[in-house]
């Protein structure tokens, strides 16, 4: 929360816990949204259930996420532009906001978009199969040539068909799509990116050498002569072990 408010150039005032009276406008908005909108929706369960549960809440099926979002946005539009509470003396919240002379600071969307997504706090590595998230692979054309890079993932809790990939420092790199649900257009973009990279690598390597295969091997030359050494004197047959011998002259063995 502190990081998000800092990016919004807001003043951070930490209030003590269990003190709703110190932030009355926010508590009042939450209370009115509960009483005027949520309590009328199917499936609503109050904190203190009634003794006799409402039949409507039991029989009606729960709303889909898309239908609930549309209902909430319509109520917020009515609250800002049509609702005229007595505390504002007949003016709408939008009219009071526009009449406030406090200057506003423009914040770039790139500085706040990531705060609307969740981050599990893990660091992942891009591989040849993309980014692994929740035991599934996510791919994108911009990942080509990025194998081995460490990244983080930001995502919407109920819409994990695509994720946003960022650097560990928070800089957005691009969107990745679920590999087994990627459309044909997304797969074509990935193939084109890989083809372009392969061509670029071949161009950087250059053509093969023109003199390749024309170099003949060096002719074999005998090793240089070395110093002469005396060969060992062959053993005479009479000196073989176990063979009897006679002597014709001193020191000269002769076989029988």
């Amino acid at each position: 929360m502190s990081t998000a408010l800092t990016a919004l150039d807001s003043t951070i005032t930490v209030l003590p816990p269990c003190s709703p009276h110190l932030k009355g406008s926010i508590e009042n908005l939450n209370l009115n949204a509960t009483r005027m909108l949520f309590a009328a929706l199917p499936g609503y369960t109050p904190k203190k259930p009634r003794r006799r549960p409402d039949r409507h809440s039991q029989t009606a099926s729960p709303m889909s996420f898309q239908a609930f979002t549309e209902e909430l946005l319509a109520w917020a539009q009515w609250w800002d532009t049509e609702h005229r509470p007595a505390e504002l003396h007949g003016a709408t919240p939008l009219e009071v906001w526009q009449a406030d002379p406090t200057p506003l600071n423009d914040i770039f969307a790139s500085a706040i978009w990531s705060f609307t997504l969740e981050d599990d706090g893990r660091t992942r590595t891009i591989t040849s199969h993309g980014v692994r998230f929740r035991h599934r692979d996510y791919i994108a054309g911009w990942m080509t040539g990025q194998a081995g890079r460490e990244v983080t993932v930001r995502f919407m809790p109920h819409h994990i068909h695509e994720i946003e990939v960022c650097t560990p420092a928070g800089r957005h790199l691009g969107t990745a799509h679920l590999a087994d649900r990627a459309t044909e257009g997304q797969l074509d973009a990935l193939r084109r990116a890989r083809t372009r990279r392969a061509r670029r690598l071949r161009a950087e390597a250059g053509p093969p050498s023109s003199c390749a295969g024309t170099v003949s091997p060096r002719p074999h030359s005998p090793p240089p002569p070395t110093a002469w050494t005396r060969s060992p004197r062959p053993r005479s047959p009479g000196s073989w072990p176990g063979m009897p011998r006679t002597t014709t002259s001193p020191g000269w063995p002769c076989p029988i």
Side-chain angles (χ1 to χ4, degrees), residues 54-229:
D54 189 5
R55 297 180 180 178
H56 177 72
S57 61
Q58 290 183 341
T59 58
S61 59
M63 301 176 64
S64 64
F65 181 79
Q66 182 177 1
F68 172 76
T69 304
E70 294 176 354
E71 192 75 19
L72 180 60
L73 292 177
W75 183 85
Q77 181 73 14
W78 169 84
W79 178 273
D80 292 337
T81 60
E82 300 180 17
H83 178 57
R84 301 178 183 274
E87 294 78 3
L88 299 183
H89 307 286
T92 63
L94 180 59
E95 294 173 349
V96 175
W97 172 269
Q98 292 175 343
D100 192 341
T102 304
L104 300 177
N105 297 327
D106 294 332
I107 307 298
F108 294 102
S110 58
I112 60 174
W113 73 270
S114 60
F115 297 113
T116 63
L117 305 176
E118 287 194 9
D119 182 6
D120 59 359
R122 292 182 52 188
T123 301
R124 294 171 171 81
T125 303
I126 299 178
T127 65
S128 58
H129 299 283
V131 174
R132 192 74 174 174
F133 175 68
R134 291 187 176 180
H135 310 290
R136 307 178 78 175
D137 293 326
Y138 289 79
I139 58 175
W142 62 265
M143 292 184 185
T144 304
Q146 301 285 335
R149 184 172 189 176
E150 293 185 349
V151 296
T152 58
V153 171
R154 293 184 179 271
F155 60 96
M156 296 183 65
H158 303 285
H159 299 272
I160 58 174
H161 59 281
E162 64 180 20
I163 57 176
E164 304 297 333
V165 184
C166 308
T167 63
R171 184 172 63 87
H172 183 236
L173 295 176
T175 304
H177 304 277
L178 196 59
D180 54 1
R181 294 186 182 181
T183 62
E184 191 63 28
Q186 295 169 353
L187 295 177
D188 288 341
L190 178 60
R191 298 189 192 101
R192 290 194 299 268
R194 292 179 176 178
T195 301
R196 289 194 300 267
R197 183 172 185 271
R199 292 176 180 174
R200 184 174 66 254
L201 293 178
R202 287 195 297 266
E204 293 176 356
S209 178
S210 59
C211 59
T214 60
V215 178
S216 58
R218 296 179 58 183
H220 176 72
S221 57
T226 59
W228 293 98
T229 58

